[in-house]
Amino acid sequence: MFHDLTPTMLARMAELEAIDAADRADGTPHGRRLRQIPPDTGRYLAILAASAPAGQMVEVGTSAGYSALWLSLACRERGGVLTSIDRDPDKLALARQTLETTGTADVVRLVCGDALEIVAGLDNVAFAFIDANRDVLAQCVELLADRLVPGGLLAADNVISHAAEIPGVAERILADPRFDAVVVPIGSGVLTARRTRA
């Protein structure tokens, strides 16, 4: 899967990594930063997504499409499409550019809107990655947890780095008898859960 990264994909990833690093260093306001995952988290998510059972693949928090590029590798392997949701039209414009430049627009569907409303209309979710703003992250986790198929996988970012801003999110899933879950100390901390029962 990782051997299928094209030179164009690698170049766009490097470009987005440079923008993200500059955003974090130059005082760019928090809401305008790309705030994307590091490469190791991208690889981890791609492996998870490729290993998920049959069903929909969902991402909440597209930004410029960096994580969607990693997840597109799993989409190609599975023969599926990722639905990536963001409420910021400017960031979705960057994501659209990312997908068109890298030839991945056929396996990633961008959706602009309120993630809670969109997720509430989903079912049969096999894989979900949540990298949403902290004001909606907890609700997104709950909504998607209810929509996972047996064996479905859920990953939520920032559960170590921003634990104080999302109190109880990881703890609720870790204690939920419907899931086998663990917090993986990669990047900003990824809550990883597998749905074991209805």
Side-chain angles (χ1 to χ4, degrees), residues 110-133:
L110 300 178
V111 179
C112 185
D114 184 299
L116 298 178
E117 292 178 6
I118 295 163
V119 168
L122 299 177
D123 60 7
N124 198 39
V125 176
F127 172 83
F129 174 50
I130 306 164
D131 193 11
N133 288 335

Side-chain angles (χ1 to χ4, degrees), residues 8-150:
T8 305
M9 293 172 78
L10 290 168
R12 181 60 172 173
M13 285 177 169
E15 181 182 358
L16 293 176
E17 288 162 11
I19 294 169
D20 182 56
D23 282 354
R24 294 172 191 267
D26 67 10
T28 298
H30 189 261
R32 299 200 45 88
R33 296 179 194 169
L34 295 188
R35 295 180 288 160
Q36 63 200 24
I37 59 171
D40 282 350
T41 303
R43 288 175 175 270
Y44 173 70
L45 293 172
I47 290 169
L48 282 183
S51 305
Q56 293 194 66
M57 294 176 59
V58 181
E59 174 184 46
V60 178
T62 311
S63 191
Y66 182 84
S67 51
L69 277 180
W70 287 106
L71 293 172
S72 75
L73 298 171
C75 291
R76 291 250 186 261
E77 187 161 296
R78 294 166 53 90
V81 174
L82 173 71
T83 297
S84 187
I85 306 162
D86 206 296
R87 62 186 179 194
D88 185 334
D90 292 334
K91 287 186 176 172
L92 281 173
L94 282 173
R96 194 165 289 107
Q97 180 185 4
T98 294
L99 300 178
E100 290 170 359
T101 300
T102 58
T104 53
D106 61 320
V107 292
V108 180
R109 181 174 71 99
L110 300 178
V111 179
C112 185
D114 184 299
L116 298 178
E117 292 178 6
I118 295 163
V119 168
L122 299 177
D123 60 7
N124 198 39
V125 176
F127 172 83
F129 174 50
I130 306 164
D131 193 11
N133 288 335
R134 263 72 74 188
D135 61 331
V136 297
L137 188 140
Q139 291 169 280
C140 284
V141 168
E142 295 297 330
L143 282 170
L144 283 161
D146 286 340
R147 285 155 178 77
L148 285 177
V149 300

